[in-house]
């Protein structure tokens, strides 16, 4: 029996989606539909201070408006585990995963503050996060007990001196050293919220996700996530890290950039026109023309998707 591809879109409901969010959703959806796979929707709302239920409801309406349906997950459709795919409701499950990891690797409390880490003269990841120098890696039980009286620690996992190698569906052959490029990374923050790395791997593994399509800015996360998959005896998904859409001045798009929010874009363009622009930006068609998402399915291939980030023209950005 052939293996059915299970892909997903996993937005954070912290505001109205922008054009870059829609681009990621479209590419993930097209890849799944082109392979007759199953499309899942997961709500990544771990940051409760920024996330709201009304944003979740709006992003689902937006996805359906652009013709991007999903087969499992969301608000009303339970996933195959019988649970709604909302991360804020899965704390107990994440803690179970941490316990499992603790039996297979060195998971330890870290008392370093963000300011202390940024003051360290050490290399940084592409997202400007400092590579952890191992300050708390070998604290004695007495030192841990003493420091816990003053500060609640985060939890880190020690990484081996190992290079992770994988073939990205969009970026091609990729290698990354866990020790020198990533360093020991956080599994749970001091405030009790689990890290992106842990939550994503835990949920993707449990939901049977076999393909992850996301922005190129998350390429550096893949090695850490593959490491966690291996510790959990799970098969990593295939990764495809697609280019980012950038403002004319090279800035990354954000939900604070109202000119390219879906709310603003839908005043200027129809859903079909926006889909056509995204298809042209990606390389699926030569020039923008109104299209439905379903019309792009037979055209889709990662071989046709650009690898480098896409700078939007001033005329489109300010139209």
């Amino acid at each position: 029996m052939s293996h059915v591809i299970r892909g997903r879109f996993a937005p954070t409901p912290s505001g109205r989606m922008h054009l870059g969010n829609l681009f990621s959703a479209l590419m993930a959806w097209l890849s799944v539909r082109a392979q007759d796979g199953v499309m899942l929707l997961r709500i990544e709302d771990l940051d409760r201070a920024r996330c709201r239920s009304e944003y979740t409801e709006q992003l689902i309406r937006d996805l359906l408006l652009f013709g991007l349906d999903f087969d499992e997950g969301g608000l009303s459709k339970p996933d195959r585990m019988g649970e709604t795919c909302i991360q804020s409701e899965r704390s107990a499950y994440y803690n179970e995963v941490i316990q499992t990891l603790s039996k297979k690797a060195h998971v330890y409390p870290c008392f370093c503050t963000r300011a202390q880490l940024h003051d360290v003269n050490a290399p940084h990841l592409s997202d400007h996060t400092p590579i952890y120098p191992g300050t708390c890696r070998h604290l004695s039980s007495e030192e841990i007990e003493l420091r816990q009286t003053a500060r609640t620690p985060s939890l880190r996992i020690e990484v081996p001196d190992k290079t992770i190698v994988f073939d990205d569906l969009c970026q091609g052959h990729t290698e990354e050293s866990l020790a020198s490029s990533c360093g020991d990374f956080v599994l749970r923050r001091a405030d009790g919220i689990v890290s992106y790395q842990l939550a994503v791997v835990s949920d993707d593994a449990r939901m049977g996700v076999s393909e992850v399509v996301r922005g190129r800015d998350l390429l550096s996360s893949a090695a850490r996530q593959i490491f966690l998959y291996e510790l959990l005896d799970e098969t990593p998904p295939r990764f495809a890290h697609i280019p980012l859409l950038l403002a004319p001045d090279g800035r990354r798009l954000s939900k604070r950039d109202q000119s390219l929010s879906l709310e603003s874009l839908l005043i200027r363009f129809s859903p079909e026109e926006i889909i056509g622009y995204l298809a042209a930006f990606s390389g699926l068609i030569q020039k923008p023309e109104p299209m439905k998402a379903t019309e792009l399915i037979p055209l889709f291939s990662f071989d046709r998707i650009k690898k480098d980030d896409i700078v939007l023209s001033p005329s489109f950005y300010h139209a």
Side-chain angles (χ1 to χ4, degrees), residues 114-133:
R114 186 186 298 267
Q116 287 172 331
L117 293 177
H118 279 277
D119 285 342
V120 173
N121 184 19
H124 287 59
L125 299 174
S126 59
D127 61 359
H128 305 295
T129 301
I131 296 176
Y132 189 64

Side-chain angles (χ1 to χ4, degrees), residues 81-96:
M81 302 307 297
E83 302 171 8
T84 302
C85 302
I86 298 180
Q87 284 190 336
S88 61
E89 300 175 356
R90 296 189 168 190
S91 296
Y93 169 55
Y94 299 141
N95 287 330
E96 290 176 9

Side-chain angles (χ1 to χ4, degrees), residues 9 17 25 41 59-69:
F9 179 55
M17 287 198 299
L41 180 69
L59 71 85
I60 291 175
R61 288 196 295 269
D62 285 337
L63 291 170
L64 295 177
L65 176 65
F66 286 92
L68 306 182
D69 59 348

Side-chain angles (χ1 to χ4, degrees), residues 297-312:
I297 295 173
L299 302 178
F300 184 82
S301 168
F302 282 114
D303 291 338
R304 303 178 70 173
I305 303 300
K306 297 174 182 176
K307 298 185 187 306
D308 296 328
D309 292 341
I310 301 162
V311 179
L312 302 177

Side-chain angles (χ1 to χ4, degrees), residues 252-267:
R252 287 172 51 182
L253 304 186
S254 73
K255 290 173 182 173
R256 294 185 297 272
D257 192 346
Q258 294 300 310
S259 64
L260 290 184
S261 72
L262 295 191
E263 184 176 18
S264 298
L265 288 168
L266 287 168
I267 295 173

